[in-house]
Coordinates of all heavy atoms in Angstrom, one line a residue:
M1 N -21.9 2.8 -21.1 CA -21.8 4.2 -20.5 C -22.9 5.0 -21.0 O -23.3 4.9 -22.1 CB -20.4 4.7 -20.9 CG -20.2 6.1 -20.3 SD -18.5 6.8 -20.8 CE -17.4 5.5 -20.4
T2 N -23.4 5.9 -20.2 CA -24.5 6.8 -20.4 C -24.0 8.2 -20.5 O -23.5 8.8 -19.5 CB -25.6 6.6 -19.4 OG1 -26.1 5.4 -19.3 CG2 -26.8 7.5 -19.8
S3 N -24.2 8.9 -21.7 CA -23.9 10.2 -21.7 C -24.9 11.1 -21.1 O -26.2 10.9 -21.2 CB -23.6 10.7 -23.2 OG -23.4 12.1 -23.2
T4 N -24.4 12.1 -20.3 CA -25.4 13.1 -19.7 C -25.7 14.3 -20.5 O -26.6 15.0 -20.3 CB -24.8 13.6 -18.3 OG1 -23.6 14.3 -18.5 CG2 -24.5 12.4 -17.4
G5 N -24.9 14.5 -21.6 CA -25.0 15.6 -22.4 C -24.4 16.9 -21.8 O -24.5 18.0 -22.4
I6 N -23.8 16.8 -20.7 CA -23.3 17.9 -19.9 C -21.8 18.0 -20.4 O -21.0 17.0 -20.3 CB -23.4 17.8 -18.4 CG1 -24.8 17.6 -18.0 CG2 -22.7 18.9 -17.7 CD1 -25.0 17.3 -16.5
V7 N -21.4 19.1 -20.7 CA -20.0 19.4 -21.1 C -19.3 20.5 -20.2 O -20.0 21.5 -20.1 CB -19.9 19.7 -22.7 CG1 -18.5 20.1 -23.1 CG2 -20.4 18.7 -23.6
R8 N -18.3 20.2 -19.7 CA -17.6 21.2 -18.9 C -16.3 21.4 -19.4 O -15.6 20.5 -19.9 CB -17.6 20.7 -17.4 CG -18.9 20.7 -16.7 CD -19.4 22.2 -16.4 NE -20.9 22.1 -16.0 CZ -21.3 22.1 -14.8 NH1 -20.5 22.1 -13.8 NH2 -22.6 22.3 -14.6
K9 N -15.7 22.6 -19.2 CA -14.3 23.0 -19.6 C -13.4 22.9 -18.3 O -13.7 23.3 -17.2 CB -14.3 24.4 -20.1 CG -12.9 24.8 -20.7 CD -13.1 26.3 -21.2 CE -11.8 26.7 -21.8 NZ -11.9 28.0 -22.4
L10 N -12.2 22.2 -18.5 CA -11.3 22.1 -17.4 C -10.7 23.5 -17.2 O -10.6 24.3 -18.1 CB -10.1 21.2 -17.8 CG -10.4 19.7 -17.9 CD1 -9.1 19.0 -18.3 CD2 -10.8 19.1 -16.5
D11 N -10.5 23.8 -15.9 CA -9.8 25.1 -15.6 C -8.3 25.1 -15.9 O -7.8 24.0 -16.2 CB -10.2 25.7 -14.3 CG -9.6 25.0 -13.2 OD1 -8.7 24.1 -13.3 OD2 -9.9 25.2 -11.9
R12 N -7.6 26.2 -15.6 CA -6.2 26.2 -16.0 C -5.3 25.1 -15.2 O -4.2 24.9 -15.6 CB -5.6 27.5 -15.8 CG -5.6 28.1 -14.5 CD -5.3 29.6 -14.5 NE -5.9 30.2 -13.4 CZ -5.3 30.8 -12.4 NH1 -4.0 30.9 -12.5 NH2 -6.0 31.4 -11.5
V13 N -5.8 24.7 -14.1 CA -5.0 23.6 -13.3 C -5.6 22.3 -13.5 O -5.3 21.3 -12.7 CB -4.9 24.1 -11.9 CG1 -3.9 25.3 -11.9 CG2 -6.1 24.3 -11.2
G14 N -6.5 22.0 -14.3 CA -7.1 20.7 -14.6 C -8.3 20.4 -13.8 O -8.7 19.2 -13.8
R15 N -9.0 21.2 -13.2 CA -10.1 21.0 -12.3 C -11.4 21.1 -13.2 O -11.4 21.8 -14.1 CB -10.1 21.9 -11.2 CG -9.1 21.7 -10.2 CD -9.2 22.7 -9.1 NE -9.0 24.1 -9.6 CZ -8.8 25.2 -8.9 NH1 -8.6 25.0 -7.6 NH2 -8.6 26.4 -9.5
V16 N -12.5 20.3 -12.8 CA -13.8 20.3 -13.4 C -14.7 20.3 -12.3 O -14.6 19.6 -11.3 CB -13.9 19.3 -14.4 CG1 -13.9 17.9 -13.9 CG2 -15.1 19.5 -15.2
V17 N -15.8 21.0 -12.4 CA -16.9 21.0 -11.4 C -17.9 19.9 -11.9 O -18.4 20.0 -13.0 CB -17.6 22.3 -11.2 CG1 -18.8 22.2 -10.4 CG2 -16.6 23.4 -10.8
I18 N -18.2 19.0 -11.0 CA -19.2 18.0 -11.3 C -20.5 18.5 -10.9 O -20.8 18.9 -9.8 CB -18.9 16.6 -10.6 CG1 -17.5 16.2 -11.0 CG2 -19.9 15.5 -10.9 CD1 -17.0 15.0 -10.0
P19 N -21.6 18.4 -11.8 CA -22.9 19.0 -11.5 C -23.6 18.4 -10.4 O -23.5 17.2 -10.2 CB -23.7 18.8 -12.8 CG -22.7 18.6 -13.9 CD -21.4 18.0 -13.2
H20 N -24.3 19.2 -9.6 CA -24.9 18.7 -8.4 C -25.9 17.5 -8.7 O -26.0 16.5 -7.9 CB -25.7 19.9 -7.7 CG -24.9 20.6 -6.7 ND1 -24.9 21.9 -6.7 CD2 -24.3 20.2 -5.6 CE1 -24.1 22.3 -5.7 NE2 -23.8 21.3 -5.0
E21 N -26.5 17.6 -9.8 CA -27.5 16.5 -10.3 C -26.7 15.2 -10.3 O -27.2 14.2 -9.9 CB -28.1 16.8 -11.6 CG -28.9 18.2 -11.6 CD -28.1 19.4 -11.8 OE1 -26.9 19.2 -12.1 OE2 -28.6 20.5 -11.8
I22 N -25.6 15.2 -10.9 CA -24.8 13.9 -11.0 C -24.3 13.5 -9.6 O -24.4 12.3 -9.2 CB -23.6 14.1 -12.0 CG1 -24.2 14.2 -13.4 CG2 -22.6 12.9 -11.8 CD1 -23.2 14.5 -14.5
L23 N -23.8 14.4 -8.8 CA -23.4 14.0 -7.4 C -24.5 13.4 -6.6 O -24.4 12.5 -6.0 CB -22.8 15.3 -6.7 CG -21.6 15.8 -7.2 CD1 -21.2 17.1 -6.5 CD2 -20.4 14.9 -7.3
G24 N -25.7 14.0 -6.8 CA -26.8 13.6 -6.0 C -27.3 12.2 -6.5 O -27.5 11.3 -5.8
Y25 N -27.2 11.9 -7.8 CA -27.6 10.8 -8.4 C -26.7 9.6 -7.9 O -27.2 8.5 -7.7 CB -27.6 10.9 -9.9 CG -27.9 9.6 -10.6 CD1 -29.2 9.2 -10.8 CD2 -26.9 8.8 -11.3 CE1 -29.5 7.9 -11.5 CE2 -27.2 7.6 -12.0 CZ -28.5 7.2 -12.0 OH -28.7 6.1 -12.7
L26 N -25.5 9.9 -7.8 CA -24.5 8.9 -7.4 C -24.2 8.8 -5.8 O -23.5 8.0 -5.4 CB -23.1 9.2 -8.0 CG -23.1 9.1 -9.6 CD1 -21.8 9.6 -10.1 CD2 -23.5 7.7 -10.0
G27 N -24.9 9.6 -5.1 CA -24.8 9.7 -3.6 C -23.5 10.3 -3.2 O -23.1 9.8 -2.1
I28 N -23.0 11.1 -3.9 CA -21.6 11.7 -3.5 C -22.0 13.0 -2.9 O -22.7 13.8 -3.5 CB -20.7 11.9 -4.7 CG1 -20.4 10.5 -5.3 CG2 -19.5 12.6 -4.4 CD1 -19.7 10.6 -6.7
K29 N -21.4 13.3 -1.7 CA -21.6 14.5 -1.0 C -20.4 15.4 -1.0 O -19.3 14.9 -1.2 CB -22.1 14.2 0.4 CG -23.4 13.5 0.4 CD -23.9 13.2 1.9 CE -23.1 12.2 2.7 NZ -23.2 10.9 2.3
V30 N -20.4 16.7 -0.7 CA -19.3 17.6 -0.5 C -18.5 17.0 0.5 O -18.9 16.5 1.6 CB -19.9 19.0 -0.1 CG1 -18.7 19.8 0.2 CG2 -20.6 19.6 -1.2
H31 N -17.2 17.0 0.3 CA -16.1 16.5 1.1 C -15.9 15.0 1.0 O -15.1 14.3 1.7 CB -16.2 17.0 2.6 CG -16.1 18.4 2.7 ND1 -15.1 19.1 2.3 CD2 -17.1 19.3 3.2 CE1 -15.4 20.5 2.5 NE2 -16.6 20.6 3.1
D32 N -16.7 14.3 0.3 CA -16.5 12.8 0.0 C -15.2 12.7 -0.7 O -14.8 13.6 -1.5 CB -17.6 12.3 -0.7 CG -18.8 11.8 0.1 OD1 -18.7 11.9 1.3 OD2 -19.9 11.4 -0.5
F33 N -14.5 11.5 -0.7 CA -13.4 11.3 -1.5 C -13.8 10.6 -2.8 O -14.8 9.9 -2.8 CB -12.3 10.4 -0.8 CG -11.7 11.1 0.3 CD1 -12.1 11.1 1.6 CD2 -10.5 11.8 0.0 CE1 -11.5 11.7 2.6 CE2 -9.9 12.5 1.1 CZ -10.3 12.5 2.3
I34 N -13.1 10.9 -3.9 CA -13.4 10.3 -5.2 C -12.2 9.6 -5.6 O -11.0 10.1 -5.6 CB -13.7 11.6 -6.2 CG1 -14.8 12.4 -5.8 CG2 -13.9 11.0 -7.6 CD1 -16.1 11.7 -5.7
D35 N -12.4 8.4 -6.2 CA -11.4 7.5 -6.7 C -11.4 7.8 -8.2 O -12.4 7.7 -8.8 CB -11.6 6.1 -6.5 CG -10.6 5.2 -7.1 OD1 -9.5 5.1 -6.6 OD2 -11.0 4.6 -8.1
I36 N -10.2 8.1 -8.8 CA -10.0 8.5 -10.2 C -9.3 7.2 -10.9 O -8.2 6.9 -10.6 CB -9.3 9.7 -10.4 CG1 -10.0 10.8 -9.7 CG2 -9.2 10.1 -11.9 CD1 -9.2 12.2 -9.6
S37 N -10.1 6.8 -11.9 CA -9.4 5.6 -12.6 C -9.6 5.8 -14.2 O -10.3 6.7 -14.5 CB -10.0 4.3 -12.2 OG -11.3 4.3 -12.4
I38 N -8.8 5.0 -14.8 CA -8.9 5.1 -16.3 C -9.4 3.8 -16.9 O -8.9 2.7 -16.6 CB -7.5 5.4 -16.9 CG1 -7.0 6.8 -16.4 CG2 -7.5 5.4 -18.4 CD1 -5.5 7.1 -16.6
D39 N -10.4 3.8 -17.8 CA -10.9 2.7 -18.5 C -10.7 3.0 -19.9 O -11.6 3.8 -20.5 CB -12.3 2.5 -18.1 CG -13.0 1.3 -18.7 OD1 -12.3 0.4 -19.2 OD2 -14.3 1.3 -18.9
N40 N -9.8 2.4 -20.6 CA -9.4 2.6 -21.9 C -9.0 4.2 -22.1 O -8.1 4.5 -21.4 CB -10.5 2.1 -23.0 CG -10.6 0.6 -23.0 OD1 -9.6 -0.1 -22.9 ND2 -11.7 0.2 -22.9
S41 N -9.8 4.8 -22.8 CA -9.6 6.3 -22.9 C -10.5 7.2 -22.1 O -10.6 8.3 -22.3 CB -9.6 6.7 -24.4 OG -10.9 6.5 -24.9
N42 N -11.3 6.6 -21.2 CA -12.2 7.2 -20.4 C -11.7 7.4 -18.9 O -11.0 6.5 -18.3 CB -13.6 6.5 -20.2 CG -14.2 6.3 -21.6 OD1 -14.3 7.3 -22.4 ND2 -14.4 5.1 -22.0
V43 N -11.9 8.6 -18.4 CA -11.7 8.9 -17.0 C -12.9 8.6 -16.2 O -14.0 9.0 -16.5 CB -11.3 10.3 -16.8 CG1 -11.1 10.7 -15.2 CG2 -10.1 10.8 -17.5
V44 N -12.8 7.7 -15.2 CA -13.9 7.2 -14.5 C -13.8 7.6 -13.0 O -12.8 7.5 -12.4 CB -14.0 5.6 -14.5 CG1 -15.2 5.2 -13.8 CG2 -14.0 5.2 -15.9
L45 N -14.8 8.2 -12.5 CA -14.8 8.7 -11.1 C -15.8 7.7 -10.3 O -16.9 7.5 -10.6 CB -15.4 10.2 -11.0 CG -14.7 11.2 -12.0 CD1 -15.4 12.5 -11.8 CD2 -13.3 11.4 -11.6
H46 N -15.3 7.3 -9.1 CA -16.0 6.6 -8.2 C -16.1 7.1 -6.9 O -15.0 7.7 -6.5 CB -15.5 5.2 -8.1 CG -15.7 4.4 -9.2 ND1 -16.7 3.5 -9.5 CD2 -14.8 4.1 -10.3 CE1 -16.5 2.9 -10.7 NE2 -15.3 3.2 -11.2
K47 N -17.1 7.0 -6.1 CA -17.1 7.4 -4.8 C -16.1 6.6 -4.0 O -16.2 5.4 -4.1 CB -18.4 7.4 -4.1 CG -18.5 7.9 -2.7 CD -20.0 7.7 -2.1 CE -20.0 8.2 -0.7 NZ -21.4 8.2 -0.2
F48 N -15.2 7.1 -3.4 CA -14.2 6.4 -2.6 C -14.8 6.0 -1.3 O -15.1 6.9 -0.4 CB -12.9 7.0 -2.4 CG -11.8 6.3 -1.6 CD1 -11.2 5.3 -2.2 CD2 -11.6 6.7 -0.3 CE1 -10.3 4.5 -1.3 CE2 -10.7 6.0 0.5 CZ -10.1 5.0 -0.1
E49 N -14.9 4.7 -1.0 CA -15.3 4.2 0.3 C -14.3 3.4 0.8 O -14.0 2.2 0.4 CB -16.7 3.5 0.2 CG -17.8 4.3 -0.4 CD -19.1 3.6 -0.5 OE1 -19.8 3.4 0.5 OE2 -19.4 3.2 -1.6
P50 N -13.6 3.8 2.0 CA -12.6 3.0 2.6 C -12.9 1.7 3.0 O -14.0 1.5 3.6 CB -12.0 3.9 3.7 CG -13.2 4.8 4.0 CD -13.9 5.0 2.8
G51 N -12.1 0.8 2.8 CA -12.3 -0.6 3.3 C -11.5 -1.0 4.4 O -10.3 -0.4 4.6
C52 N -11.8 -2.0 5.1 CA -11.1 -2.5 6.3 C -9.7 -3.0 5.7 O -9.7 -3.7 4.7 CB -11.9 -3.5 7.0 SG -10.9 -4.4 8.4
V53 N -8.6 -2.6 6.5 CA -7.3 -3.1 6.0 C -7.1 -4.5 6.2 O -6.3 -5.1 5.5 CB -6.1 -2.3 6.7 CG1 -6.2 -0.8 6.4 CG2 -6.3 -2.6 8.2
F54 N -8.0 -5.2 6.9 CA -7.7 -6.6 7.2 C -8.6 -7.4 6.3 O -8.2 -8.4 5.7 CB -8.0 -6.9 8.7 CG -6.9 -6.3 9.5 CD1 -7.3 -5.2 10.3 CD2 -5.7 -6.7 9.6 CE1 -6.4 -4.6 11.2 CE2 -4.7 -6.2 10.4 CZ -5.1 -5.1 11.2
C55 N -10.0 -7.1 6.2 CA -10.9 -8.0 5.5 C -11.5 -7.3 4.2 O -12.2 -8.0 3.5 CB -12.0 -8.4 6.4 SG -13.2 -7.3 6.8
G56 N -11.4 -6.1 4.1 CA -11.9 -5.3 2.9 C -13.3 -4.9 3.1 O -13.8 -4.3 2.2
S57 N -13.9 -5.2 4.1 CA -15.3 -4.8 4.3 C -15.4 -3.2 4.3 O -14.6 -2.5 4.7 CB -15.8 -5.3 5.7 OG -17.0 -4.7 6.1
H58 N -16.6 -2.8 3.8 CA -16.8 -1.4 3.6 C -17.6 -0.9 4.7 O -18.2 0.2 4.8 CB -17.5 -1.0 2.2 CG -16.5 -1.2 1.1 ND1 -15.5 -0.3 0.8 CD2 -16.4 -2.0 0.1 CE1 -14.8 -0.6 -0.2 NE2 -15.3 -1.8 -0.7
R59 N -17.8 -1.8 5.7 CA -18.5 -1.4 7.0 C -17.5 -0.9 8.0 O -17.5 -1.4 9.1 CB -19.4 -2.5 7.5 CG -20.4 -3.0 6.4 CD -21.2 -4.1 6.9 NE -21.9 -3.9 8.2 CZ -22.3 -4.8 9.0 NH1 -22.1 -6.0 8.7 NH2 -22.9 -4.4 10.0
V60 N -16.8 0.1 7.6 CA -15.7 0.6 8.4 C -16.3 1.4 9.6 O -17.1 2.3 9.3 CB -14.7 1.5 7.6 CG1 -13.7 2.2 8.5 CG2 -14.0 0.5 6.6
T61 N -15.7 1.2 10.8 CA -16.3 1.9 11.9 C -15.2 2.8 12.5 O -15.6 3.7 13.3 CB -16.8 1.1 13.0 OG1 -15.7 0.1 13.4 CG2 -17.9 0.2 12.5
S62 N -14.0 2.6 12.3 CA -12.9 3.5 12.9 C -11.7 3.6 12.0 O -11.4 2.6 11.2 CB -12.6 3.0 14.3 OG -12.0 1.7 14.2
G63 N -10.9 4.6 12.2 CA -9.7 4.8 11.4 C -8.6 5.2 12.4 O -8.9 5.8 13.4
H64 N -7.4 5.0 12.0 CA -6.2 5.3 12.7 C -5.1 5.5 11.7 O -4.7 4.6 11.0 CB -5.9 4.3 13.8 CG -4.7 4.6 14.6 ND1 -4.7 5.6 15.5 CD2 -3.5 4.0 14.7 CE1 -3.6 5.8 16.1 NE2 -2.7 4.7 15.7
K65 N -4.4 6.6 11.8 CA -3.2 7.0 11.0 C -3.5 6.6 9.4 O -2.7 6.0 8.7 CB -2.0 6.2 11.4 CG -1.6 6.7 12.8 CD -0.3 6.1 13.2 CE 0.2 6.6 14.6 NZ 1.3 6.0 15.0
G66 N -4.8 7.0 9.0 CA -5.1 6.9 7.6 C -5.5 5.4 7.2 O -5.7 5.1 6.0
K67 N -5.6 4.5 8.1 CA -6.0 3.1 7.8 C -7.4 2.9 8.5 O -7.7 3.5 9.5 CB -4.9 2.1 8.4 CG -3.6 2.3 8.0 CD -3.4 2.1 6.6 CE -2.0 2.2 6.1 NZ -1.8 2.3 4.7
F68 N -8.2 2.1 7.9 CA -9.5 1.9 8.4 C -9.7 0.4 8.9 O -9.2 -0.5 8.2 CB -10.6 2.3 7.3 CG -10.4 3.8 7.0 CD1 -9.6 4.1 6.0 CD2 -11.1 4.8 7.7 CE1 -9.5 5.5 5.6 CE2 -10.9 6.0 7.5 CZ -10.1 6.4 6.4
I69 N -10.6 0.2 9.7 CA -10.9 -1.2 10.3 C -12.3 -1.3 10.5 O -13.0 -0.4 11.1 CB -9.9 -1.5 11.5 CG1 -10.1 -2.9 12.0 CG2 -10.3 -0.4 12.6 CD1 -9.1 -3.3 13.0
C70 N -12.9 -2.5 10.4 CA -14.3 -2.7 10.5 C -14.5 -3.2 12.0 O -13.5 -3.5 12.7 CB -14.9 -3.7 9.6 SG -14.3 -5.4 9.9
R71 N -15.8 -3.3 12.5 CA -16.0 -3.6 13.9 C -15.5 -5.0 14.2 O -14.9 -5.3 15.3 CB -17.5 -3.4 14.2 CG -18.0 -3.8 15.5 CD -19.5 -3.6 15.6 NE -20.0 -3.9 17.0 CZ -20.3 -5.0 17.4 NH1 -20.1 -6.1 16.7 NH2 -20.6 -5.2 18.6
D72 N -15.8 -6.0 13.2 CA -15.5 -7.4 13.5 C -14.0 -7.6 13.6 O -13.5 -8.2 14.6 CB -16.0 -8.2 12.4 CG -17.6 -8.4 12.3 OD1 -18.2 -8.0 13.4 OD2 -18.1 -8.7 11.3
C73 N -13.2 -6.9 12.9 CA -11.8 -7.1 12.9 C -11.2 -6.3 14.2 O -10.3 -6.9 14.9 CB -11.1 -6.4 11.7 SG -11.3 -7.6 10.2
R74 N -11.8 -5.3 14.6 CA -11.4 -4.6 15.7 C -11.7 -5.4 17.0 O -10.8 -5.6 17.9 CB -12.2 -3.2 15.9 CG -11.8 -2.4 17.1 CD -12.3 -1.0 17.0 NE -13.7 -0.9 16.6 CZ -14.7 -1.0 17.5 NH1 -14.5 -1.1 18.8 NH2 -15.9 -0.8 17.0
I75 N -12.8 -6.2 17.1 CA -13.1 -7.0 18.2 C -12.1 -8.2 18.1 O -11.7 -8.5 19.2 CB -14.5 -7.6 18.0 CG1 -15.6 -6.4 18.3 CG2 -14.9 -8.8 19.0 CD1 -17.0 -6.7 18.0
Q76 N -11.8 -8.8 17.0 CA -10.9 -9.9 16.9 C -9.5 -9.4 17.4 O -8.8 -10.2 18.1 CB -10.9 -10.5 15.5 CG -12.1 -11.2 15.1 CD -12.1 -11.7 13.6 OE1 -11.1 -11.6 12.9 NE2 -13.1 -12.2 13.2
I77 N -9.0 -8.4 17.0 CA -7.7 -7.9 17.4 C -7.7 -7.5 18.9 O -6.7 -7.9 19.5 CB -7.3 -6.5 16.6 CG1 -7.1 -6.9 15.2 CG2 -6.2 -5.8 17.2 CD1 -6.9 -5.8 14.1
H78 N -8.7 -7.0 19.4 CA -8.8 -6.7 20.8 C -8.8 -8.0 21.6 O -8.0 -8.2 22.6 CB -10.2 -6.0 21.1 CG -10.3 -5.7 22.6 ND1 -9.6 -4.6 23.1 CD2 -11.1 -6.2 23.5 CE1 -9.9 -4.5 24.4 NE2 -10.8 -5.5 24.7
S79 N -9.5 -9.1 21.1 CA -9.4 -10.4 21.7 C -8.1 -11.0 21.7 O -7.6 -11.5 22.7 CB -10.4 -11.3 21.0 OG -10.3 -12.6 21.5
I80 N -7.3 -10.9 20.6 CA -5.9 -11.4 20.5 C -5.0 -10.6 21.5 O -4.2 -11.3 22.1 CB -5.5 -11.3 19.0 CG1 -6.2 -12.2 18.1 CG2 -3.9 -11.5 19.0 CD1 -6.0 -12.0 16.6
A81 N -5.2 -9.3 21.5 CA -4.3 -8.4 22.4 C -4.6 -8.9 23.8 O -3.6 -8.9 24.6 CB -4.6 -7.0 22.1
Q82 N -5.8 -9.2 24.2 CA -6.0 -9.6 25.6 C -5.3 -10.9 25.9 O -4.9 -11.2 27.0 CB -7.5 -9.7 25.8 CG -8.2 -8.4 26.0 CD -9.7 -8.5 26.3 OE1 -10.3 -9.4 25.9 NE2 -10.1 -7.5 27.1
N83 N -5.2 -11.8 25.0 CA -4.7 -13.2 25.2 C -3.2 -13.1 25.2 O -2.5 -13.9 25.8 CB -5.1 -14.2 24.2 CG -6.5 -14.5 24.3 OD1 -7.2 -14.5 25.4 ND2 -7.2 -14.8 23.2
V84 N -2.6 -12.1 24.6 CA -1.1 -11.8 24.6 C -0.6 -11.5 25.9 O 0.5 -11.9 26.4 CB -0.7 -10.9 23.5 CG1 0.8 -10.5 23.6 CG2 -1.1 -11.5 22.1
Y85 N -1.3 -10.6 26.6 CA -0.8 -10.0 27.9 C -1.3 -10.8 29.1 O -2.1 -11.3 29.3 CB -1.2 -8.6 27.9 CG -0.6 -7.7 26.8 CD1 -1.4 -7.2 25.9 CD2 0.7 -7.6 26.8 CE1 -0.9 -6.5 24.8 CE2 1.3 -6.8 25.7 CZ 0.5 -6.3 24.8 OH 1.0 -5.6 23.7
Ligands
ZN101 ZN1 -12.4 -6.1 8.8

């Protein structure tokens, strides 16, 4: 782990502002989702990138009702649906 030397104070509801420099370094943009996890006694933030619900691919192309699907799985499902009817 690399310390940035940046210290921030949590506000009264537990929020903290992540410096722009760190966001830019990690490729995180405003309105991206952040995954929060715990590693021993450390809080770890990761950019959340939704994966396909079927294969786990992060090359997601569409979403429906909060679930995401990649192009390959969408094509396979479409093919299966055509054979059913
Ligand atoms: Zn998939």
Side-chain angles (χ1 to χ4, degrees):
M1 184 180 310
T2 304
S3 175
T4 63
I6 301 170
V7 176
R8 294 284 169 98
K9 185 177 182 178
L10 292 175
D11 73 7
R12 63 189 153 117
V13 293
R15 294 176 295 197
V16 64
V17 174
I18 302 170
H20 270 126
E21 299 83 9
I22 292 176
L23 295 176
Y25 178 76
L26 297 174
I28 298 171
K29 298 182 289 292
V30 172
H31 300 301
D32 279 349
F33 286 94
I34 303 295
D35 176 74
I36 304 169
S37 57
I38 298 172
D39 179 20
N40 294 318
S41 61
N42 299 307
V43 176
V44 181
L45 306 175
H46 292 273
K47 180 178 179 176
F48 176 74
E49 298 182 76
C52 174
V53 295
F54 296 106
C55 72
S57 168
H58 289 285
R59 298 177 61 202
V60 171
T61 57
S62 59
H64 181 67
K65 295 185 178 181
K67 306 293 183 194
F68 299 93
I69 186 169
C70 72
R71 181 179 182 274
D72 291 345
C73 288
R74 185 167 44 87
I75 290 170
Q76 289 176 7
I77 290 169
H78 182 72
S79 174
I80 292 168
Q82 284 184 326
N83 291 331
V84 170
Y85 298 109

